[in-house]
Amino acid sequence: MIAPDSTAASASAPTVRKAVVPAAGLGTRFLPATKATPKEMLPVVDKPAIQYVVEEAAAAGLDDILMVTGRHKRAIEDHFDHAFELEQALATKGDTVRLDAVRDPARLADIHHIRQGDPLGLGHAVLCARHHVGNQPFAVLLGDDLIDPRETLLSRMLEVRERYRGSVVALMEVDPAQIHLYGCAAVHPTGEEGVVRVTGLVEKPAAGTAPSRYAVIGRYVLDPAVFEVLAHTPPGRSGEIQLTDALQGLAAAGTVHGVVFTGLRYDTGDKADYLRTVVRLACARPDLGPEFTGWLKEFVSGLEDGGTAVGQGHRAA
Ligand code: G1P
């Protein structure tokens, strides 16, 4: 019998096994909802936003996930743990569907938590993962960026990292009027469709100074070399240690590539986009979609007819 030994990796085993999910932000944009509830726990249909992120990592084969949390984030730990009494109550009732829904988060991966302590920025949050990650490449997934579950962006990034080595960031072309909200990448073609070499990075460039329309969206596959650079990265924009600034150091050495994403991405950190996310994902759900979509069409046509649709909310079953 062959013992399951992670050191005896087969040729097809992915090199990247670990993911880091920074989740220490205060969520001020969603106050008062986030006064006592972490923003990562806000529901998107019927799952907290962070569960989609963990499911995405697990779907890409990452089975070790480190959450970098802060104070008031206990609900995240509880969500990815067993809920003994709840599970027993559902088991006694024979409600296997809900029992699975309750158990699933804890079964997705081996989930660890550490606290950032001082909120010194995204770069600092990633640096907090250094000891856990060790000297191996790893993924970083930001909770505010939700990639549609039907997309395979992270798998593509892992595959690009295998071939190009170094670090890989996800890029998306955005309206130039929006680029100041993101890290922005100067890029050079590689000759491969959808893959670029990143020649420079700037965090949230001031109007008119962005080197391109390529925004860094919250998915990264990082070489462990980033830790040493982060350890020496001074505070940048907003007085925080920026991951973008550390990656700029690596990009200057020619070791950062970008995967250009053209699929569905939602920014659940923004109120209007959060609402769009809930609607889009609800429409795509086989159990809710048909009925909800029917109601939505009626609602929208009511709005177009002069706003009478507002009342439909009260009529809905
Ligand atoms: C962070 C990063 C930024 C990136 C963005 C993607 O910014 O610092 O480079 O473009 O996530 O969502 P934040 O939105 O946390 O301010």
Side-chain angles (χ1 to χ4, degrees):
M1 193 180 112
I2 300 166
D5 177 359
S6 60
T7 57
S10 74
S12 62
T15 324
V16 183
R17 298 275 304 279
K18 294 184 179 175
V20 174
V21 179
L26 291 175
T28 47
R29 281 193 280 179
F30 277 86
L31 283 169
T34 49
K35 183 181 173 190
T37 302
K39 64 171 175 169
E40 295 81 6
M41 291 299 295
L42 294 181
V44 175
V45 189
D46 53 7
K47 286 190 284 193
I50 198 162
Q51 187 173 334
Y52 290 87
V53 174
V54 173
E55 286 174 351
E56 181 190 342
L62 309 181
D63 57 9
D64 180 306
I65 296 173
L66 178 70
M67 308 266 178
V68 185
T69 64
R71 277 177 287 279
H72 311 304
K73 300 281 182 168
R74 280 283 296 279
I76 297 178
E77 289 181 34
D78 289 344
H79 184 72
F80 291 101
D81 196 358
H82 293 284
F84 190 71
E85 285 164 5
L86 182 56
E87 287 176 31
Q88 275 226 314
L90 291 167
T92 307
K93 275 201 226 164
D95 191 341
T96 52
V97 172
R98 289 196 178 90
L99 184 59
D100 273 341
V102 167
R103 285 182 172 160
D104 280 346
R107 295 194 285 218
L108 285 169
D110 196 0
I111 299 180
H112 308 266
H113 305 267
I114 53 162
R115 288 192 174 200
Q116 191 178 359
D118 295 318
L120 299 179
L122 176 60
H124 178 254
V126 172
L127 187 55
C128 290
R130 184 179 197 167
H131 183 69
H132 181 87
V133 168
N135 192 29
Q136 53 181 309
F138 63 105
V140 174
L141 293 88
L142 305 189
D144 283 351
D145 288 86
L146 217 144
I147 303 297
D148 192 283
R150 291 160 287 190
E151 305 286 353
T152 53
L153 171 64
L154 192 54
S155 299
R156 171 107 170 100
M157 293 173 72
L158 293 169
E159 182 258 315
V160 167
R161 146 78 204 184
E162 281 297 297
R163 285 187 290 116
Y164 289 84
R165 318 307 291 180
S167 299
V168 181
V169 297
L171 299 174
M172 205 161 178
E173 277 196 84
V174 299
D175 185 325
Q178 299 292 310
I179 194 77
H180 69 282
L181 300 171
Y182 298 92
C184 176
V187 303
H188 203 271
T190 58
E192 181 177 348
E193 176 79 23
V195 183
V196 291
R197 187 161 61 80
V198 175
T199 56
L201 282 157
V202 47
E203 178 68 7
K204 306 203 172 89
T209 67
S212 76
R213 294 173 53 168
Y214 285 110
V216 176
I217 55 170
R219 296 295 179 271
Y220 310 78
V221 177
L222 300 178
D223 190 86
V226 76
F227 289 128
E228 202 43 40
V229 183
L230 276 170
H232 297 101
T233 299
R237 184 158 280 278
S238 316
E240 297 184 340
I241 297 170
Q242 296 291 350
L243 180 58
T244 306
D245 293 345
L247 289 175
Q248 158 60 23
L250 297 176
T255 61
V256 180
H257 285 83
V259 167
V260 180
F261 182 60
T262 52
L264 291 168
R265 167 209 176 241
Y266 316 105
D267 177 5
T268 54
D270 174 80
K271 277 183 213 174
D273 224 6
Y274 172 81
L275 294 173
R276 283 190 277 269
T277 309
V278 174
V279 170
R280 290 189 87 138
L281 293 181
C283 288
R285 281 266 297 256
D287 55 341
L288 292 167
E291 192 192 332
F292 182 64
T293 309
W295 172 84
L296 192 60
K297 282 182 186 156
E298 230 183 276
F299 179 70
V300 171
S301 70
L303 287 181
E304 283 161 358
D305 293 347
T308 49
V310 174
Q312 291 176 10
H314 303 291
R315 284 212 313 269

